[in-house]
Amino acid sequence: MGARRFAVGEYLGFAPALILYGAFFAVPLSIVVAYSFWKVRDYNVVHEWTIDNYRYFFSVPTYVRTMWATVWVAVLSTALTIAVAFPFAYWLVRHVPRRLQRTLLVLVILPFWTSYLLRVYSWLNILGPSGAINRFLQWTHVTSSPVSFFLYDRPAVVLVLVYLYFPFAALTLYASLERFDWDQFKAAMDLGARPATAMRKILLPQIRPGITTAVIFVFIPILGEYLAPQLVGGTRGIMIGNLIVNFFSGAEYTRGAAASLLIAALIVVLLVVFRRSLEIKDPYASGR
Amino acid sequence: MPRDAEVVSPRAGLMRGLLGGWAVLVYVFLFAPVVLLVAFSFNANRYGTFPFTGWTTKWYGQVFGDYQIRDALTTTLKVSAEVTLISTVVGTAAAFPLVRSRLPFRSGIRIGMTLPIMIPGLLIGISLLVLFTSVFHWQLSPQTAVIGQSVYTTPFVMLLVAARLQGFDPALERAASDLGANTFRRLRHVVLPLIMPAVFAGALFAFTLSLDEFIITLFLIGAQNTLPIYIYTQVKFGITPEVNALASLLLGASILLIGIAFVLPTAIRRARRLRHGAAGARS
């Protein structure tokens, strides 16, 4: 083979990426791992191994509560995002002419490419004390003074998170529904299956990898969410991400590192839980 | 012809209506906040919120007159230009071995390269903060932010270019080789023109992502401001119409750039085909 001559040259393209990701991704993440197991003495990090940073985190009830609240918010937001995105993706695939599908999909993805900060910020105009909801309630005389329930609490955080991550879910679900062979669905119904049965037995097993991908892509970034709880969550809506930032801005690097590692651990747990459904090969598509 | 149960059954019709209604709600949900934001930026009310008290472009004038915003814009453009350059070069170079070499662990590398997109930006930001400040003892500056952002944007370029390389007919390159072209000339005259649309689109994506990047920048920019960081510091004190105006401008710029990035590859291909078609007709 003539290509063998370029054995080294073949890999040369990786060199810059290797430098960038070695020095500024792998190394710093490893340092954070190490920090989480190191001690602080006289405001200096010393290289002595300990699990005190983790012990400290779990000894403060507020931190533990915040961690579980983060998991809970992530689960709820992910479930809601999928629940909103699934009927939408189904509608797009089944009831929209092919020509229009792409355009309508781009409209959904477009916000994802605009500023993350601004997408959170834009909700302040709606949820805020003088935002759209409160103005509407006052105008209709439901309340006479602004209600802050819509801001500075967990429901507001969940709402904004669903808004932020909807494009991910819509895109992945669309992709898997679009590939699905709908004749199989029709065949099941012709053989007497009710729509719900056909959906459960034929559709869901085949689009499961798509749903898993959507779950992973929505759940993981939410675990490290900082801005949404910061801007619309207030003190009652804080998540682990806010704790981490507080640790680091207070120069408690080792404790912050331990809290960061907890997020990483949660991500690993998630990937292990979903490993099986990721591995399953599409059982009906093997012939194609 | 297959029997289409959906058109016949009235229940299916109801289902269809419900789904359509749901889709409308989804679009309202997606665009209402943005539309309101832009509407408020033209609202004369100086609290930047309801009620609408009249139409004005005054806030935009103040945005353009504000020296802090101008400084932040300069920093943003410098950072974004550097990030675009780095991620386009690194991402494009990495796309080649990703698609073409016979690496045994190629899919592993592919997953590894998507990690910076997938893991929370917060983790990238703080880990680089630790590296720069307590290991290297560097002063935080726009340069450190450039490094952090590049880690995040490079995979986007790589995936886009890799997708284009995948759909590329290797026979074209072999033909060039048979005609005596060396590696450099094959790259220059065959490969680059074919992948150029994807490289441009990747560069535009990287630029836009960098322009809007918030969380990594927050940790690494030091004393200076990019536009998103400036907006963040303002929002802490409450909504103002100036911030609404600035936000609308930034949104507009992002949408424009991304629109171009989406349309560009097809447009280039179409333009080339037209030109070649015309040339073919003449000969």
Side-chain angles (χ1 to χ4, degrees):
Chain A
M1 291 279 278
R4 269 281 138 237
R5 272 186 306 147
F6 300 110
V8 181
E10 238 178 86
Y11 303 113
L12 207 63
F14 270 141
L18 220 58
I19 295 169
L20 182 67
Y21 285 95
F24 300 116
F25 188 68
V27 167
L29 285 178
S30 317
I31 291 176
V32 168
V33 174
Y35 261 55
S36 77
F37 291 106
W38 280 345
K39 274 185 184 153
V40 177
R41 194 170 292 148
D42 304 330
Y43 303 102
N44 281 314
V45 177
V46 288
H47 302 188
E48 277 172 46
W49 301 95
T50 175
I51 56 162
D52 281 355
N53 298 312
Y54 293 94
R55 211 177 271 154
Y56 171 74
F57 186 94
F58 285 105
S59 72
V60 180
T62 327
Y63 295 164
V64 179
R65 248 196 325 260
T66 306
M67 187 184 86
W68 290 122
T70 304
V71 173
W72 170 233
V73 164
V75 169
L76 187 66
S77 311
T78 307
L80 282 174
T81 307
I82 306 267
V84 173
F86 189 86
F88 173 78
Y90 181 90
W91 169 80
L92 200 56
V93 171
R94 296 290 278 165
H95 297 304
V96 175
R98 271 201 102 64
R99 248 172 340 101
L100 272 175
Q101 280 181 18
R102 215 184 116 81
T103 316
L104 287 177
L105 197 64
V106 168
L107 276 181
V108 168
I109 305 166
L110 206 60
F112 165 71
W113 292 100
T114 63
S115 167
Y116 160 79
L117 170 76
L118 294 182
R119 279 185 297 146
V120 181
Y121 167 71
S122 66
W123 276 95
L124 290 176
N125 282 320
I126 295 176
L127 300 169
S130 54
I133 293 179
N134 267 318
R135 287 287 166 178
F136 180 77
L137 290 182
Q138 280 168 293
W139 178 62
T140 53
H141 298 289
V142 175
T143 61
S144 52
S145 56
V147 181
S148 68
F149 171 77
F150 307 106
L151 195 63
Y152 306 129
D153 209 345
R154 290 244 150 74
V157 177
V158 172
L159 177 75
V160 171
L161 290 177
V162 172
Y163 176 75
L164 286 174
Y165 294 103
F166 176 82
F168 278 130
L171 186 63
T172 38
L173 290 178
Y174 171 83
S176 62
L177 283 174
E178 208 248 359
R179 270 198 309 268
F180 178 70
D181 177 8
W182 291 95
D183 284 340
Q184 291 183 12
F185 196 78
K186 217 177 275 172
M189 304 239 283
D190 284 348
L191 292 170
R194 284 185 307 147
T197 318
M199 206 161 242
R200 195 162 44 84
K201 292 245 165 108
I202 306 291
L203 179 64
L204 278 185
Q206 293 195 55
I207 61 164
R208 203 157 77 181
I211 295 177
T212 307
T213 312
V215 167
I216 287 173
F217 269 87
V218 174
F219 195 86
I220 290 180
I222 289 180
L223 284 178
E225 197 61 44
Y226 162 73
L227 189 68
Q230 184 75 16
L231 284 189
V232 302
T235 46
R236 273 175 297 174
I238 65 162
M239 294 168 66
I240 290 194
N242 307 81
L243 290 183
I244 294 175
V245 174
N246 288 347
F247 281 131
F248 276 91
S249 45
E252 296 182 272
Y253 280 18
T254 55
R255 286 172 178 173
S260 310
L261 254 282
L262 287 177
I263 292 188
L266 288 171
I267 295 175
V268 171
V269 168
L270 176 84
L271 290 177
V272 169
V273 167
F274 280 105
R275 190 194 50 201
R276 277 201 47 231
S277 46
L278 270 179
E279 277 166 2
I280 286 177
K281 292 274 182 299
D282 183 353
Y284 300 91
S286 52
R288 268 182 277 158
Chain B
M1 219 184 108
R3 181 164 58 92
D4 205 332
E6 285 171 343
V7 184
V8 191
S9 135
R11 252 179 71 197
L14 176 70
M15 190 70 190
R16 192 192 185 111
L18 283 176
L19 284 169
W22 185 252
V24 171
L25 285 179
V26 163
Y27 281 105
V28 170
F29 175 58
L30 285 180
F31 286 96
V34 179
V35 169
L36 265 182
L37 176 75
V38 176
F40 283 134
S41 75
F42 290 108
N43 183 3
N45 185 337
R46 71 155 283 88
Y47 297 103
T49 179
F50 286 110
F52 283 95
T53 51
W55 160 273
T56 179
T57 53
K58 183 168 69 179
W59 314 121
Y60 286 88
Q62 290 190 3
V63 164
F64 289 114
D66 189 324
Y67 75 95
Q68 272 187 304
I69 293 178
R70 252 180 295 164
D71 279 356
L73 177 66
T74 316
T75 312
T76 308
L77 290 178
K78 264 191 215 151
V79 167
S80 299
E82 287 174 37
V83 169
T84 307
L85 187 69
I86 293 174
S87 46
T88 307
V89 171
V90 177
T92 306
F96 280 86
L98 190 75
V99 173
R100 297 183 160 192
S101 69
R102 284 161 300 239
L103 287 174
F105 40 86
R106 207 166 57 181
S107 67
I109 290 183
R110 193 178 275 262
I111 293 171
M113 284 295 284
T114 52
L115 265 185
I117 301 177
M118 231 165 69
I119 75 165
L122 182 73
L123 294 185
I124 299 179
I126 57 136
S127 64
L128 282 171
L129 177 73
V130 172
L131 180 80
F132 292 153
T133 58
S134 42
V135 179
F136 292 170
H137 299 289
W138 285 357
Q139 194 81 41
L140 292 179
S141 70
Q143 300 315 311
T144 48
V146 166
I147 295 174
Q149 290 189 2
S150 300
V151 167
Y152 168 66
T153 54
T154 302
F156 286 95
V157 179
M158 188 198 70
L159 292 175
L160 262 169
V161 177
R164 180 84 184 118
L165 273 175
Q166 210 121 49
F168 175 113
D169 186 358
L172 286 172
E173 236 184 313
R174 235 175 292 136
S177 177
D178 289 347
L179 292 169
N182 60 23
T183 312
F184 174 74
R185 295 189 61 175
R186 282 206 304 272
L187 204 63
R188 165 81 183 71
H189 294 289
V190 180
V191 182
L192 279 186
L194 279 169
I195 62 163
M196 230 16 163
V199 175
F200 270 129
L204 276 172
F205 277 118
F207 187 81
T208 317
L209 285 169
S210 162
L211 205 65
D212 291 328
E213 211 292 321
F214 169 72
I215 189 82
I216 299 174
T217 316
L218 180 69
F219 288 105
L220 303 177
I221 192 77
Q224 295 200 40
N225 277 339
T226 60
L227 284 176
I229 304 295
Y230 173 79
I231 292 175
Y232 179 64
T233 55
Q234 296 301 303
V235 169
K236 280 192 194 161
F237 307 117
I239 305 173
T240 64
E242 290 93 339
V243 173
N244 278 334
L246 177 59
S248 305
L249 288 172
L250 199 55
L251 270 177
S254 307
I255 290 175
L256 186 71
L257 286 167
I258 286 309
I260 295 174
F262 271 125
V263 177
L264 190 75
T266 338
I268 291 181
R269 234 169 292 150
R270 208 168 284 164
R272 277 202 189 130
R273 205 172 303 145
L274 268 178
R275 204 170 56 202
H276 291 169
R282 249 181 281 132
S283 64

